Amino acid sequence: MYYFDSDYMVGAHPEVMEKLIETNLLHTVGYQRDQFCDEARKIILEACGLNDGKVLFFVGGTQTNATVIDGLLHRHEGVLAADSAHINVHEAGAIEASGHKVLTLPAVNGKIDAKQIEDYVETFYRDDSYSHMVAPGMVYISFPTELGTLYSRDELTAIADACHQHNIPLYVDGARLAYGLQAPGNDISLKDLAAIADYFYIGGTKCGALMGEALVSRHADAVPYLYTLIKQHGSMLAKGRLLGVQFIALFSNDLYNRIGRHAIEMAMRLKEGMKAKNVELMIDLPTNQQFFVLPNETIARLRKIASFEYWGAPGPDKSAVRFVTDFSTTPEAIDAVVDAV
Amino acid sequence: MYYFDSDYMVGAHPEVMEKLIETNLLHTVGYQRDQFCDEARKIILEACGLNDGKVLFFVGGTQTNATVIDGLLHRHEGVLAADSAHINVHEAGAIEASGHKVLTLPAVNGKIDAKQIEDYVETFYRDDSYSHMVAPGMVYISFPTELGTLYSRDELTAIADACHQHNIPLYVDGARLAYGLQAPGNDISLKDLAAIADYFYIGGTKCGALMGEALVSRHADAVPYLYTLIKQHGSMLAKGRLLGVQFIALFSNDLYNRIGRHAIEMAMRLKEGMKAKNVELMIDLPTNQQFFVLPNETIARLRKIASFEYWGAPGPDKSAVRFVTDFSTTPEAIDAVVDAV
Amino acid sequence: MYYFDSDYMVGAHPEVMEKLIETNLLHTVGYQRDQFCDEARKIILEACGLNDGKVLFFVGGTQTNATVIDGLLHRHEGVLAADSAHINVHEAGAIEASGHKVLTLPAVNGKIDAKQIEDYVETFYRDDSYSHMVAPGMVYISFPTELGTLYSRDELTAIADACHQHNIPLYVDGARLAYGLQAPGNDISLKDLAAIADYFYIGGTKCGALMGEALVSRHADAVPYLYTLIKQHGSMLAKGRLLGVQFIALFSNDLYNRIGRHAIEMAMRLKEGMKAKNVELMIDLPTNQQFFVLPNETIARLRKIASFEYWGAPGPDKSAVRFVTDFSTTPEAIDAVVDAV
Amino acid sequence: MYYFDSDYMVGAHPEVMEKLIETNLLHTVGYQRDQFCDEARKIILEACGLNDGKVLFFVGGTQTNATVIDGLLHRHEGVLAADSAHINVHEAGAIEASGHKVLTLPAVNGKIDAKQIEDYVETFYRDDSYSHMVAPGMVYISFPTELGTLYSRDELTAIADACHQHNIPLYVDGARLAYGLQAPGNDISLKDLAAIADYFYIGGTKCGALMGEALVSRHADAVPYLYTLIKQHGSMLAKGRLLGVQFIALFSNDLYNRIGRHAIEMAMRLKEGMKAKNVELMIDLPTNQQFFVLPNETIARLRKIASFEYWGAPGPDKSAVRFVTDFSTTPEAIDAVVDAV
């Protein structure tokens, strides 16, 4: 059986696992104060082209989003996001549970743009009753988006400019960052992202780690109590070293890029194979999620050799399905699926 | 250097690590829906002597406490706890951050008793203005307590009776449960705990796992949306299998008990060694935390070979210090410390 | 100058004021436990055709909404509402501040319908990942709506049926209820509303009181701790009698209906007068809010004699404006405005 | 029957009522933006000896406390207060419901002192694990306290100094401020309070108004979004003028002081009368609450002519009772009670 359900279906990349094994019985202090977290911080900042800045570790994406948003917003503020955003749909109300409203903008293919942000903020403050409404206090986007699309550097810069013009920070959710960075046509590097976004996180869980995300900000002194909020939100691992150790592995020997590159190669091999068989793409995507529209009988045949997610029914006899690749996807698996269509 | 700072200073017990390595590249679904979590649930319920019940996994203790308390309380209720309780002091306000008050009872050696609970609840409802006050909605205790002391089976049963008489659930924090169960003089088994407490968690993080805690309840259908609250509190690992796999290891081949037993043996060897050298005990404890009062110059000498925590100054020339043992503590380490006094 | 800005621009209706003056120096207990609140409860239940039920008083509408929604929802649930709903736009995030998400449905003229609710709930539970999402836990609508439109009895019944089929309560915000009940074409009586909605509130602030709203539910025993939540949300007046006294006045001598009827007569006189002058209606409305589209120069002329709100610019030379009537609006004021067009 | 249960048992002082009647049918804009609120702000600042500053109105005390504390604290901070404080006991968890912990200090006769604050803050930051704990972010005291005691100017100044030395604001709950200011032996004026406390509120509800409190701060620009938080906490009256109008009355013709003075005269007449009859004082108090210990048979006799609160049983045959005076208390009522002992 071949598995394409998502990118969190196996454990860690072997090189990450190796580093965990190697350091397993060393003694360190807890709560991200250890030498591994320190080293990880150093090499992450370096990879981001930042001399100075803040790196904090979280166990998972929802925690990271909820904690950072809670830390950046005042009580009367909400977070602007695409209506399709993960924080608006698939985080069980974690943002609202800490008291904040998600202010939604209609997304096109998972993306919002600078003009929507400008319009929202300007319309808001032109409204005489704005002090009775939730103020836009920050912008949340993800890279890649929920649908696997990407922002170009120009688009991202325009969004950041719109934010800064109105004095609100831009936060980028990078749960699948490795795949975005290595996608064909992508023109944003990790250093670009670190220079443009006020806060962003480098996804570990979906990009080869057992679990863990690394929040990065070029503002070294921003929100000094964010560390305490991590504890308050229940995300401060006693054995915080586990996060440091894994990020050292991910950022050594070009591993994070290799993981991204491999998954993208597999995704493109799948897309090209499907296109060669005249399979309809639900949307043409450059990242590690690929959506196809297939006759239901073809799908039934595929399910005998592969596991993947159902993504709605565009017609009576056909369905959309999602295939996701990761570091563990093999060319054989791809070819077997394509052959079976 | 020997390390006694706490019980979360190394990675996982080798048998836990082995199981993680062995299963690392197997594919499973996410979010605790996988076969490993299912198996772990089964063997945990079995170990607890429960035919039926609920087992849910969490990444860490603060999350477990905050999520369970949030799930069990109505909005107008608070949680009764010792004033020295972890939730009242060392969780950065996680309980209050989700809207609930910790209603404190004065603790003696980290413990509260049934009478305090009864008195609190009865006094509360006798007060004409009780509807202007936070109602006691559940009781939180820990086993072992924050100070390393233990409840006897009679004490625990009396507390549970006081709770049930007033129709409120009893929740037991078992962050260091392995050590409590194996402590000399302890008369509570895992099965007893499962029969007495409405909810309790089996600590993994401090008892040999990389991270993770297992919440157990004999009420199989209680709080059906607790699963969603785990996601809302940011504690739902995408690779939920990591928790299942580790708990399978901890509850196979008697490992959880062996871990507890070894740490207790080392703690007792340390206590007896110290007593033989006429060292003053801050308090005589049966679990894996040991507190000694030593002359400052002795402490300075010990620091050259061992790392441990400072715990206050009972006098001008002496200090209290804490030593904690775990699965990785060796007899050599203990003897070296005792010899150095 | 004539004032049409809103329906909260004067103090209380003289008969309400009279009752406050008359009872001002009588002694009563506090916190809604007094004889006036008791009497008000009795006559409100009677007016609602309920033998039994719950009546609680609140100081204002936002409080009522936030407290009731907080009381009815579990922590993992949100409230379904029109995207234009007051709770979604003009309550400064009060719902989210107590931890709940507003789940929006696209409104047409301020209204949602039964089918939207059914579709939302059914789609929700068909989604495999629904336990990662905020569950629809209740429905909020307002009568009249934010735009001044009304639900028919059939529409309201269908909405209630959709709710009850899915086991979620229906809550109706009646901030301007007096005007809805007296609107031409309305076929819903107070008794109908009390029989159909699980919870609703009778607006006082915008309908002739100094301030205050009366929550009514036919479920006498529902949410027994709602009283305490009123205190927790800061809405429990020490001199709770003020609310009881005013609602006695509003529900004596048919006053609530007379207030509604007068404001509606004035609103219809205004609408007819404007139509006779060929003024464009932004939307044809049966309640006490009337929206007109007028040339900017006409508006400038009107502003010399009347005060009213600007409501957007449908074109370069014309604007929409809002006129609101209440118990204090006079035929002279209406005629003066119409004459000045 | 004479009523001494509390100071919120009648409506408004006649001069307050007069002003409400007089302005009842004037038109104003809503939400504290009207001319009456503006005028009230001006005369309150003047009475406080402030050239500049912030005045905001609230409907009740719990709201004021919850909103101000929510506005002043960061998410990781709590509020230091006496364990007997209103916010810790009698506000139904309103502070925790908005996410903040009340950090309690043991009170003596309802009071805390500067040293306790200093010790708490200093001990807190000396603790290595302080970032796992709730930081002290502000201090709450009340004047008079929950028990009717008063701080001297020296004590209050020392508390403020302790706060400012540690860079945290001092907030004073003045629910019964009128009585504190007029108490025999009190050496704090309204101007003193305004100069010493960063934030305080002038109680209306318990001091002659129908309802309403006025928050005052000498920091004109502090927490600019506090206005929006008032809305979010559900405390923004649509007819905000009601608060402005009442505070104009309270601060015209020396009314606030006259109300305080009268209640104090009555309270002292009662205390002296009781002492002359050898009645035991539970505590000797200078404000409008008086606590007496009386034989149960005397209490039974008194209940035939007067209504008052039971305050616990210091012995088998005697009980403590509370008498509270206000603007409506008459010398005849006092004398009748004293005569009946």
Side-chain angles (χ1 to χ4, degrees):
Chain A
M1 195 64 144
Y2 303 113
Y3 296 86
F4 293 95
D5 310 63
S6 197
D7 33 20
Y8 48 71
M9 303 191 69
V10 293
H13 187 281
E15 296 177 35
V16 172
M17 203 60 185
E18 196 49 52
K19 188 81 185 168
L20 282 169
I21 297 165
E22 176 193 322
T23 59
N24 188 49
L25 292 177
L26 296 178
H27 284 79
T28 67
V29 295
Y31 303 111
Q32 306 191 19
R33 307 283 198 200
D34 61 283
Q35 63 269 34
F36 299 117
C37 286
D38 284 348
E39 190 186 335
R41 273 186 198 100
K42 199 166 142 283
I43 63 178
I44 286 173
L45 284 177
E46 213 167 271
C48 291
L50 297 172
N51 290 323
D52 199 8
K54 200 184 189 84
V55 178
L56 285 166
F57 300 103
F58 294 78
V59 179
T62 297
Q63 284 171 351
T64 317
N65 292 335
T67 309
V68 172
I69 290 170
D70 197 24
L72 294 183
L73 293 183
H74 291 289
R75 291 298 301 246
H76 69 304
E77 294 175 331
V79 52
L80 277 169
D83 49 12
S84 58
H86 205 256
I87 55 167
N88 193 44
V89 183
H90 284 105
E91 299 192 348
I95 307 307
E96 291 83 5
S98 48
H100 300 291
K101 191 176 186 68
V102 181
L103 303 165
T104 55
L105 298 171
V108 176
N109 288 335
K111 294 165 63 176
I112 55 173
D113 65 28
K115 180 146 191 342
Q116 288 177 291
I117 296 166
E118 276 161 24
D119 286 353
Y120 192 97
V121 178
E122 286 163 16
T123 304
F124 181 85
Y125 286 107
R126 263 202 307 269
D127 190 323
D128 281 347
S129 63
Y130 79 79
S131 55
H132 287 216
M133 294 154 67
V134 176
M138 65 183 291
V139 169
Y140 165 99
I141 59 172
S142 56
F143 183 86
T145 68
E146 205 60 13
L147 272 192
T149 51
L150 292 177
Y151 291 92
S152 70
R153 188 160 54 178
D154 283 354
E155 290 171 335
L156 193 68
T157 305
I159 285 175
D161 288 349
C163 290
H164 299 151
Q165 193 183 330
H166 295 289
N167 216 17
I168 61 180
L170 172 62
Y171 167 59
V172 180
D173 178 331
R176 290 189 166 112
L177 183 59
Y179 312 119
L181 293 177
Q182 301 301 326
N186 168 53
D187 64 351
I188 295 176
S189 69
L190 188 58
K191 288 179 184 171
D192 291 335
L193 188 57
I196 296 171
D198 297 278
Y199 296 82
F200 70 101
Y201 82 81
I202 300 173
T205 300
K206 293 179 176 169
C207 302
L210 286 182
M211 82 291 183
E213 332 292 324
L215 177 76
V216 181
S217 174
R218 56 198 159 85
H219 308 298
D221 303 323
V223 200
Y225 52 87
L226 200 53
Y227 180 90
T228 295
L229 286 195
I230 297 178
K231 179 75 186 171
Q232 189 180 79
H233 278 259
S235 182
M236 183 57 77
L237 278 191
K239 298 183 178 175
R241 62 195 272 157
L242 296 175
L243 301 169
V245 165
Q246 292 184 86
F247 273 94
I248 291 172
L250 288 173
F251 279 82
S252 296
N253 305 316
D254 204 35
L255 179 58
Y256 198 70
N257 290 331
R258 282 187 286 130
I259 286 172
R261 216 174 295 135
H262 175 79
I264 291 297
E265 273 169 25
M266 293 301 102
M268 295 306 114
R269 185 182 189 112
L270 178 62
K271 180 163 75 174
E272 293 312 315
M274 290 299 219
K275 279 165 71 177
K277 290 235 172 169
N278 294 314
V279 170
E280 183 189 343
L281 306 184
M282 193 179 89
I283 168 175
D284 191 347
L285 290 171
T287 54
N288 75 322
Q289 300 183 72
Q290 296 294 328
F291 299 84
F292 306 107
V293 179
L294 287 164
N296 289 343
E297 57 182 323
T298 310
I299 291 175
R301 201 164 60 238
L302 284 177
R303 289 219 183 276
K304 289 183 188 146
I305 60 158
S307 170
F308 48 88
E309 283 195 5
Y310 171 81
W311 214 261
D317 302 322
K318 56 187 189 175
S319 300
V321 293
R322 185 182 76 158
F323 284 72
V324 189
T325 63
D326 66 17
F327 73 84
S328 72
T329 310
T330 61
E332 293 70 40
I334 300 291
D335 296 347
V337 164
V338 172
D339 287 350
V341 169
Chain B
M1 193 64 140
Y2 303 113
Y3 296 86
F4 294 94
D5 310 63
S6 195
D7 33 21
Y8 48 70
M9 304 190 68
V10 292
H13 186 281
E15 295 178 35
V16 172
M17 204 60 186
E18 196 48 52
K19 187 81 184 166
L20 282 170
I21 296 166
E22 176 194 322
T23 59
N24 188 48
L25 292 178
L26 296 177
H27 285 79
T28 68
V29 296
Y31 302 112
Q32 306 192 19
R33 307 284 199 200
D34 61 284
Q35 63 268 34
F36 299 116
C37 286
D38 284 348
E39 191 187 334
R41 274 186 197 99
K42 197 165 145 284
I43 62 178
I44 286 173
L45 285 177
E46 216 167 86
C48 291
L50 297 172
N51 290 322
D52 198 10
K54 199 184 190 86
V55 178
L56 285 166
F57 300 103
F58 294 77
V59 179
T62 297
Q63 284 171 351
T64 316
N65 292 336
T67 309
V68 172
I69 290 169
D70 197 22
L72 294 182
L73 293 183
H74 289 290
R75 292 298 302 245
H76 68 305
E77 295 174 332
V79 52
L80 278 169
D83 50 11
S84 58
H86 205 256
I87 56 167
N88 193 44
V89 183
H90 283 106
E91 300 193 350
I95 306 309
E96 291 83 4
S98 47
H100 300 292
K101 191 175 186 70
V102 181
L103 303 165
T104 56
L105 298 171
V108 176
N109 288 336
K111 293 166 63 176
I112 55 175
D113 66 28
K115 182 146 191 340
Q116 288 177 292
I117 295 167
E118 276 161 23
D119 286 353
Y120 192 97
V121 178
E122 286 163 16
T123 304
F124 181 84
Y125 286 108
R126 262 201 309 268
D127 190 322
D128 281 346
S129 63
Y130 78 80
S131 55
H132 287 218
M133 294 154 67
V134 177
M138 65 184 289
V139 168
Y140 164 101
I141 59 172
S142 56
F143 182 88
T145 68
E146 205 58 15
L147 271 193
T149 51
L150 293 176
Y151 291 93
S152 70
R153 188 158 55 177
D154 283 353
E155 289 170 335
L156 194 67
T157 303
I159 286 176
D161 288 349
C163 289
H164 298 150
Q165 193 182 330
H166 295 289
N167 216 18
I168 61 179
L170 171 63
Y171 167 59
V172 180
D173 178 331
R176 290 189 166 112
L177 182 58
Y179 312 118
L181 293 177
Q182 301 301 326
N186 168 52
D187 64 353
I188 294 176
S189 69
L190 189 57
K191 289 179 183 171
D192 292 334
L193 188 58
I196 297 170
D198 295 279
Y199 296 83
F200 71 100
Y201 82 82
I202 301 172
T205 300
K206 293 178 175 170
C207 301
L210 285 183
M211 81 292 185
E213 332 291 324
L215 177 77
V216 180
S217 174
R218 54 198 162 86
H219 308 297
D221 302 324
V223 200
Y225 52 86
L226 200 54
Y227 180 90
T228 296
L229 286 195
I230 298 178
K231 179 74 186 172
Q232 188 179 80
H233 277 259
S235 181
M236 183 55 78
L237 276 192
K239 298 182 178 177
R241 64 194 275 155
L242 297 175
L243 301 169
V245 165
Q246 292 183 86
F247 274 94
I248 291 173
L250 288 173
F251 280 82
S252 297
N253 305 317
D254 203 36
L255 179 58
Y256 199 70
N257 289 332
R258 283 188 284 131
I259 286 171
R261 215 173 296 135
H262 175 79
I264 292 298
E265 275 170 24
M266 293 302 102
M268 295 306 114
R269 186 184 189 111
L270 178 63
K271 181 164 72 174
E272 294 313 316
M274 291 300 220
K275 280 164 72 177
K277 290 238 175 164
N278 294 316
V279 170
E280 181 188 347
L281 306 185
M282 193 179 87
I283 168 176
D284 191 347
L285 290 171
T287 55
N288 74 322
Q289 300 184 70
Q290 297 294 328
F291 298 84
F292 306 107
V293 179
L294 288 162
N296 290 343
E297 57 183 321
T298 311
I299 290 173
R301 198 164 63 242
L302 283 176
R303 289 219 183 274
K304 288 183 188 146
I305 60 158
S307 170
F308 49 86
E309 283 195 4
Y310 171 81
W311 215 261
D317 301 323
K318 56 189 187 172
S319 302
V321 292
R322 184 181 77 158
F323 284 72
V324 189
T325 62
D326 65 17
F327 73 84
S328 72
T329 310
T330 61
E332 293 71 39
I334 300 292
D335 297 347
V337 165
V338 173
D339 288 351
V341 169
Chain C
M1 195 62 141
Y2 303 112
Y3 296 86
F4 293 95
D5 309 63
S6 196
D7 33 20
Y8 48 70
M9 302 189 71
V10 291
H13 186 281
E15 295 177 34
V16 172
M17 204 60 187
E18 196 49 52
K19 187 81 185 166
L20 283 170
I21 295 166
E22 175 193 321
T23 59
N24 188 47
L25 292 178
L26 297 177
H27 284 79
T28 68
V29 296
Y31 303 112
Q32 307 190 18
R33 307 283 199 200
D34 61 285
Q35 63 268 36
F36 299 117
C37 286
D38 283 348
E39 190 187 335
R41 274 186 197 99
K42 199 166 142 283
I43 62 177
I44 286 174
L45 284 177
E46 215 168 86
C48 291
L50 297 171
N51 289 323
D52 198 10
K54 200 185 189 85
V55 178
L56 285 166
F57 300 103
F58 294 78
V59 179
T62 296
Q63 283 170 352
T64 317
N65 292 335
T67 309
V68 172
I69 290 170
D70 197 23
L72 295 182
L73 293 182
H74 290 289
R75 291 299 301 247
H76 69 304
E77 295 174 331
V79 52
L80 278 169
D83 51 11
S84 57
H86 205 256
I87 57 167
N88 193 45
V89 183
H90 284 106
E91 300 192 348
I95 307 307
E96 292 82 5
S98 49
H100 301 292
K101 191 176 185 69
V102 181
L103 303 165
T104 55
L105 298 171
V108 176
N109 288 337
K111 294 166 62 176
I112 55 174
D113 65 28
K115 181 148 191 337
Q116 287 177 293
I117 295 166
E118 276 162 23
D119 285 354
Y120 192 97
V121 178
E122 286 163 18
T123 303
F124 181 84
Y125 285 107
R126 262 201 310 270
D127 190 322
D128 282 347
S129 63
Y130 78 80
S131 54
H132 287 217
M133 294 153 67
V134 176
M138 65 183 290
V139 169
Y140 164 99
I141 60 171
S142 55
F143 182 86
T145 69
E146 204 58 14
L147 271 191
T149 50
L150 293 176
Y151 291 92
S152 71
R153 187 158 56 177
D154 282 355
E155 289 171 336
L156 193 68
T157 304
I159 286 175
D161 289 350
C163 289
H164 299 150
Q165 193 182 332
H166 295 290
N167 216 18
I168 60 180
L170 172 63
Y171 167 59
V172 180
D173 178 331
R176 291 189 166 111
L177 182 58
Y179 312 118
L181 292 177
Q182 301 301 326
N186 168 52
D187 65 352
I188 294 176
S189 69
L190 188 58
K191 289 179 184 171
D192 291 335
L193 188 58
I196 297 170
D198 296 279
Y199 296 82
F200 72 99
Y201 82 81
I202 299 173
T205 301
K206 293 178 176 170
C207 302
L210 285 183
M211 81 293 183
E213 332 291 324
L215 177 77
V216 180
S217 174
R218 55 198 161 87
H219 309 298
D221 303 324
V223 200
Y225 52 87
L226 200 53
Y227 180 89
T228 296
L229 286 196
I230 297 178
K231 179 74 186 171
Q232 189 180 81
H233 277 259
S235 182
M236 184 56 77
L237 276 192
K239 298 182 178 176
R241 63 193 275 153
L242 296 176
L243 301 169
V245 166
Q246 292 184 85
F247 273 94
I248 291 173
L250 287 173
F251 280 81
S252 297
N253 305 316
D254 204 36
L255 179 59
Y256 199 69
N257 290 331
R258 282 189 284 132
I259 286 172
R261 215 174 296 135
H262 175 78
I264 292 298
E265 272 168 27
M266 293 301 102
M268 294 307 114
R269 186 184 189 109
L270 178 63
K271 181 164 71 174
E272 294 312 314
M274 291 301 219
K275 279 165 72 176
K277 291 237 173 167
N278 293 314
V279 170
E280 184 188 344
L281 307 183
M282 193 179 88
I283 169 174
D284 191 348
L285 290 171
T287 54
N288 74 321
Q289 301 184 69
Q290 297 293 328
F291 298 85
F292 306 108
V293 178
L294 287 163
N296 289 343
E297 55 183 323
T298 310
I299 291 174
R301 200 165 60 240
L302 284 177
R303 288 219 184 276
K304 288 182 190 147
I305 60 158
S307 170
F308 48 87
E309 281 195 5
Y310 170 81
W311 213 262
D317 302 322
K318 55 187 189 174
S319 301
V321 292
R322 184 181 76 158
F323 283 72
V324 190
T325 62
D326 65 16
F327 74 82
S328 73
T329 311
T330 61
E332 293 70 41
I334 300 291
D335 297 347
V337 164
V338 173
D339 287 350
V341 169
Chain D
M1 194 63 141
Y2 302 113
Y3 296 86
F4 293 95
D5 309 64
S6 196
D7 33 21
Y8 48 70
M9 303 190 70
V10 293
H13 187 281
E15 295 178 34
V16 172
M17 204 61 184
E18 196 49 52
K19 187 81 185 166
L20 282 170
I21 296 166
E22 174 194 323
T23 59
N24 188 47
L25 292 178
L26 296 178
H27 284 80
T28 67
V29 295
Y31 302 112
Q32 306 190 19
R33 306 286 199 198
D34 61 283
Q35 63 269 34
F36 300 116
C37 285
D38 284 349
E39 190 186 334
R41 274 186 197 99
K42 199 168 143 282
I43 63 179
I44 287 173
L45 285 177
E46 216 167 86
C48 291
L50 296 172
N51 290 322
D52 199 9
K54 201 185 190 83
V55 178
L56 285 165
F57 300 103
F58 295 77
V59 179
T62 297
Q63 284 171 352
T64 316
N65 292 336
T67 308
V68 171
I69 290 169
D70 197 24
L72 294 183
L73 292 182
H74 290 289
R75 291 300 301 247
H76 69 305
E77 295 175 331
V79 51
L80 279 169
D83 50 12
S84 58
H86 206 256
I87 56 167
N88 193 45
V89 183
H90 283 106
E91 300 193 349
I95 306 308
E96 292 82 4
S98 48
H100 300 292
K101 192 177 185 68
V102 181
L103 304 165
T104 55
L105 298 172
V108 176
N109 288 337
K111 292 166 64 176
I112 54 173
D113 66 27
K115 182 148 189 341
Q116 287 176 291
I117 296 166
E118 275 161 25
D119 286 353
Y120 192 97
V121 178
E122 285 163 17
T123 304
F124 181 85
Y125 286 107
R126 262 202 308 268
D127 190 321
D128 281 347
S129 63
Y130 78 80
S131 55
H132 287 218
M133 294 154 68
V134 176
M138 65 184 288
V139 169
Y140 165 99
I141 59 171
S142 55
F143 182 87
T145 69
E146 205 59 13
L147 273 192
T149 50
L150 292 176
Y151 291 92
S152 70
R153 189 159 56 177
D154 282 355
E155 289 170 335
L156 193 68
T157 303
I159 287 175
D161 288 350
C163 290
H164 299 151
Q165 192 183 330
H166 295 289
N167 215 18
I168 61 180
L170 171 62
Y171 167 58
V172 180
D173 179 332
R176 292 190 165 110
L177 183 57
Y179 312 117
L181 293 177
Q182 301 302 325
N186 169 52
D187 65 352
I188 294 177
S189 69
L190 188 58
K191 289 180 184 172
D192 291 335
L193 187 58
I196 296 170
D198 296 279
Y199 297 83
F200 71 101
Y201 82 81
I202 300 173
T205 300
K206 292 178 176 170
C207 302
L210 285 183
M211 81 290 185
E213 331 291 325
L215 177 77
V216 180
S217 174
R218 55 197 160 88
H219 308 298
D221 302 323
V223 200
Y225 52 88
L226 200 53
Y227 180 90
T228 295
L229 285 195
I230 297 177
K231 179 75 187 170
Q232 188 180 82
H233 277 259
S235 181
M236 183 56 76
L237 277 192
K239 298 182 179 177
R241 63 195 273 154
L242 296 175
L243 302 168
V245 165
Q246 292 184 86
F247 273 94
I248 291 174
L250 288 172
F251 280 81
S252 296
N253 305 317
D254 203 37
L255 179 59
Y256 199 71
N257 290 332
R258 281 189 284 133
I259 287 171
R261 216 174 295 135
H262 175 79
I264 292 298
E265 273 168 26
M266 293 302 101
M268 294 307 113
R269 186 184 188 109
L270 178 63
K271 181 166 72 175
E272 295 312 316
M274 291 300 220
K275 281 165 70 177
K277 291 238 172 165
N278 293 315
V279 171
E280 182 188 344
L281 306 185
M282 193 179 89
I283 168 175
D284 190 347
L285 290 171
T287 54
N288 74 321
Q289 300 184 73
Q290 296 294 328
F291 299 85
F292 306 107
V293 178
L294 288 163
N296 289 343
E297 55 183 321
T298 310
I299 290 175
R301 200 164 61 240
L302 283 177
R303 288 218 184 277
K304 289 184 188 144
I305 59 158
S307 170
F308 48 86
E309 284 195 3
Y310 171 81
W311 214 262
D317 302 322
K318 55 186 187 174
S319 301
V321 293
R322 185 182 76 159
F323 284 70
V324 190
T325 62
D326 65 16
F327 72 85
S328 71
T329 310
T330 61
E332 292 71 40
I334 301 291
D335 296 348
V337 164
V338 172
D339 286 351
V341 168

